[in-house]
Amino acid sequence: MIYLREQIENRMLIGAAAYDLQQQPTPIARCSVCGEYLPAVDTREILSYTVCEDCMGEFLEGYVKDFSQSYAASEPDFFVKYWLASLEPEERQAILGQAYQRFRAAPESHSFAVQLEHEFARDNLTDFIEFLEDD
């Protein structure tokens, strides 16, 4: 429910403002980078620092060199996709080809690799037929 806060001065209503009696005060935080005070919901707590969105890039840049390797290692699937996408197609093909040949040559994975090759041919019959026709 909204109530009117009023102040009377010289028998006149001045500075009237609507307010909600159930509204809680907005928590305020101070950005560790720029020193601005703003609503806490507009900040993030990173490494025990309070950082606003406007300062996020500047703040994070100071940690990239120290933490990027451990971040990449913590997200290996995501990082490998990122890394592979950054390579030229020929480089990517060469690297993946070498990795697959090592995988296929390993005794513990050989039968799985052969089975995977069979499934690949079956799942891509149109391309497989064209491959056979070209041979």
Side-chain angles (χ1 to χ4, degrees), residues 21-106:
L21 290 178
Q22 295 177 354
Q23 184 180 17
Q24 300 295 319
T26 302
I28 301 296
R30 183 172 189 229
C31 177
S32 301
V33 179
C34 66
E36 292 287 323
Y37 288 93
L38 33 108
V41 296
D42 294 337
T43 65
R44 308 261 318 248
E45 290 292 321
I46 302 173
L47 300 171
S48 301
Y49 293 98
T50 302
V51 184
C52 72
E53 289 299 319
D54 291 341
C55 295
M56 194 63 66
E58 177 185 345
F59 176 80
L60 293 175
E61 193 57 39
Y63 291 96
V64 168
K65 288 182 182 176
D66 294 336
F67 290 94
S68 60
Q69 183 178 5
S70 56
Y71 169 63
S74 75
E75 300 285 341
D77 293 340
F78 180 59
F79 181 72
V80 166
K81 287 177 187 176
Y82 182 84
W83 171 62
L84 288 173
S86 74
L87 298 174
E88 293 295 325
E90 300 81 27
E91 290 176 304
R92 184 172 39 251
Q93 185 176 0
I95 288 170
L96 292 175
Q98 291 168 3
Y100 180 72
Q101 290 305 322
R102 275 185 292 209
F103 172 76
R104 192 179 195 282

